[in-house]
Amino acid sequence: MTDPSLSPAGAARLKARHSAERRFRLYGQLAILVALGFLAVLLARVVHQGYSTFWTHSVTMSVYLDPARIDRTDLEGNNFDYLAAGDLLKRLKIKDDALGLASGEAMDLVSRDIGFALLDRIKADSKVIGTTQTLTVPVKANADLYYKGQIRRETPAEDRKLSDRQIDWLDQMKREGMVRGHFNTGFFTRSDSTEPEQAGVLGAVVGSALMLLVAALIAVPTGVLAAVWLEEFAPKGRLSSFIEVNINNLAAVPSIVYGLLGLVLFINWLGFPRSAPLTGGMVLALMSLPTIIIATRASLKSVPPSIREAALGMGASRTQTVFHHVLPQAMPGVMTGVILALAHALGETAPLLMIGMVAFTPGLPETLQSAASVLPVQIFIWENAAEAAFHERTAGAIMVLLAFMIVMNTAAVILRSRFEKRW
């Protein structure tokens, strides 16, 4: 409703201002919708490509350990995969050809894990030789993709990894109940492997955890103490202003520069091992320090001066005032900044590639100096692999990484909302 006391020109200006405000709100809402749309498309694409990672197929087989075909003096030299392939053909009532081509194709349907499982059973008890052993192992990656519908019979034979005969065998195995689908627990309990069906993220998750532990132990106390000194104790002058400006600049430095610094400082000069959680954690600690310092200083500034004045008025020293009264009040903001900085460090790939953290690690890292992989680098390696099944696992690993980051960011929001004090 227009104020009658306004002149026509004033009323026109007021109407134009209200229109501008409505347009501004509309632009803001559109910007949020566009951002949410891009996020939804990204998440939908990752989930669509990676959800099948968490579902896999296994085959149950009975293998006769023929004593005539097993060299007891050299168990490692026996081809147990070929032995299992022969029994699979017998189960399917298929006669092998003279060149053994059928056995070779059958071997490409069952994971090489069956050979290691048979070897382990014989090593544990050699009396199993001459008996029939029943095992349940994953199917090969391409066979798994066929059962998931990602390899189709209608595709021309030259464009798919499975032959017509192999697809017929897979259908027969399914009809006879040899194959079953189930949740892919191996994706979370195994480490990296050259075989896609045996590859998992456990080693990368453990490596990421160790690396974040090193980064937190270095960056958190150093960053918080540096922020406390700059905000509460440093004399205001050119030196403190110079330090403050450079810390703000360091927060904007590309992460790959920190990787180069780590390569020169920690590996080439100090001789730290490549691809180790210790080295990676120190590089990420350097990268996280500016963010932690800036967040801590902002939290300290938000504490009212009356808290400091009251403590000093009661006879507390400057140090007691800061560490007994000011810092505890600022702790929610400090914790939020720390979690966000570490969550950002968790997703970094470029600095870790620069320090050579691309080692193939089929097991778990035993120490902080052992070779290890981390989730972002594991994703990078799998995406560049030739096997199509690794691309499926790439999206699955991205979902695991996003879950970690969502948990850490949610923790930051909860801590801030629960402990934050409004003055």
Side-chain angles (χ1 to χ4, degrees), residues 86-250:
D87 280 28
L88 176 61
L89 292 178
K90 291 179 182 178
R91 172 69 182 272
L92 299 176
K93 299 177 181 175
I94 298 168
K95 182 178 290 188
D96 198 1
D97 43 57
L99 297 177
L101 297 179
S103 293
E105 289 191 68
M107 287 172 61
D108 288 337
L109 300 181
V110 181
S111 172
R112 297 287 188 267
D113 199 30
I114 192 169
F116 293 113
L118 290 172
L119 177 62
D120 290 340
R121 290 194 181 188
I122 295 175
K123 285 182 175 179
D125 184 7
S126 61
K127 294 180 180 179
V128 299
I129 298 177
T131 65
T132 299
Q133 298 292 309
T134 301
L135 306 95
T136 299
V137 296
V139 298
K140 274 294 243 185
N142 290 324
D144 188 46
L145 293 178
Y146 172 71
Y147 285 129
K148 292 175 180 177
Q150 299 181 33
I151 294 180
R152 301 179 182 276
R153 184 187 291 270
E154 297 80 15
T155 305
E158 61 272 13
D159 294 333
R160 49 178 157 84
K161 296 295 184 68
L162 297 173
S163 66
D164 292 336
R165 184 163 64 167
Q166 287 176 314
I167 290 178
D168 291 336
W169 294 346
L170 290 173
D171 291 338
Q172 185 178 347
M173 291 163 62
K174 189 76 170 179
R175 287 194 303 270
E176 295 184 6
M178 297 176 60
V179 177
R180 68 179 183 90
H182 57 88
F183 182 74
N184 190 4
T185 55
F187 185 68
F188 300 96
T189 59
R190 295 173 180 255
S191 298
D192 195 13
S193 173
T194 56
E195 304 288 338
E197 69 276 2
Q198 298 181 31
V201 295
L202 179 60
V205 169
V206 173
S208 294
L210 292 176
M211 190 179 61
L212 279 184
L213 176 63
V214 172
L217 291 177
I218 296 174
V220 174
T222 305
V224 171
L225 290 176
V228 168
W229 181 81
L230 285 172
E231 190 63 31
E232 302 292 338
F233 296 100
K236 305 303 177 184
R238 291 184 177 179
L239 178 61
S240 60
S241 298
F242 176 79
I243 295 174
E244 181 177 352
V245 168
N246 280 277
I247 289 174
N248 292 333
N249 290 335
L250 286 174

Side-chain angles (χ1 to χ4, degrees), residues 62 74 86 91 173 210 226 249 267 288 302 305-306 309 332 358 375:
S62 296
D74 182 20
R91 172 69 182 272
M173 291 163 62
L210 292 176
N249 290 335
I267 295 179
S288 302
S302 67
S306 58
E309 294 167 359
V358 291
L375 275 172

Side-chain angles (χ1 to χ4, degrees), residues 14 24 44 48 60 66 70 86 91 120 152 158 160 185 227 232 242 265 344 373 382 396-397:
L14 182 61
F24 181 77
H48 179 265
T60 301
D66 188 353
I70 297 176
R91 172 69 182 272
D120 290 340
R152 301 179 182 276
E158 61 272 13
R160 49 178 157 84
T185 55
E232 302 292 338
F242 176 79
L265 178 61
H344 179 249
S373 183
W382 282 352

